[in-house]
Amino acid sequence: MITPTRAGILVFALAVLFGPLYTVNEYSVMSNLISEFGAQHTQNNFIMILAFILFGGSIVIDGVRKFRIALLPFILFGLSMSIVGMFPHKPIDASLRFNSTYHNLHRIIASIAGTFITAGFIWHGVLTKGRQRIICFYMAGVAILFPILMLSSPSYQGIIQRLMYLQVLSWLWIKYPEMVTNKSPKTTC
């Protein structure tokens, strides 16, 4: 079934997949971040900006519709992702002037989004048992370690980020709709 979350993931994934076709020639999948598709003064940046807003908003819609406290970190993650889209990243071309306040808000809110999703994975790891617990703690590890790898390897940060997003989006596609409909923590990861 296509839930709002799955629709948002699909829009986001397509925007990322086709990003190199609609953005500037200088963009490198290997070294540039996904956010740079939506960067200030970048051609067709509205595509990625809308993708961030729709992706985050879809997670919020699903979570609020069947709200319970266990969904809160994921709802806040979705809200943060929507807000991230509203404050574009600085442009790839360093010679272009840009709004540094927007860029700094983008960075800060993206970090907050990462904190929320990590907290959600840890929280659900504590609530579950067996294989489900391992998956949740693994996902928390991905959300913590991959950004560190990105910082330590800027030449490969684009591909590292894509590997992180692939795992997080896959988990959200498979498990988040299940979490929204089930109240038992045993089925949440």
Side-chain angles (χ1 to χ4, degrees), residues 95-158:
S95 69
L96 295 174
R97 294 182 64 186
F98 66 95
N99 185 322
S100 60
T101 302
Y102 279 12
H103 174 69
N104 289 330
L105 285 170
H106 180 92
R107 282 186 320 107
I108 292 165
I109 297 166
S111 295
I112 290 169
T115 302
F116 283 135
I117 194 118
T118 303
F121 291 142
I122 292 170
W123 185 349
H124 287 283
V126 169
L127 295 176
T128 58
K129 295 182 180 176
R131 185 175 71 124
Q132 305 304 328
R133 177 175 281 176
I134 292 167
I135 291 168
C136 286
F137 287 140
Y138 169 80
M139 291 306 300
V142 165
I144 293 168
L145 296 176
F146 277 57
I148 293 169
L149 284 171
M150 289 164 56
L151 290 172
S152 64
S153 303
S155 297
Y156 301 102
Q157 68 182 350

Side-chain angles (χ1 to χ4, degrees), residues 66-105:
K66 300 270 187 159
F67 182 79
R68 58 187 188 289
I69 198 72
L71 298 174
L72 187 59
F74 298 99
I75 293 168
L76 293 172
F77 164 74
L79 181 62
S80 299
M81 290 299 283
S82 285
I83 295 169
V84 158
M86 294 177 202
F87 296 101
H89 195 282
K90 69 180 179 180
I92 294 170
D93 183 347
S95 69
L96 295 174
R97 294 182 64 186
F98 66 95
N99 185 322
S100 60
T101 302
Y102 279 12
H103 174 69
N104 289 330
L105 285 170

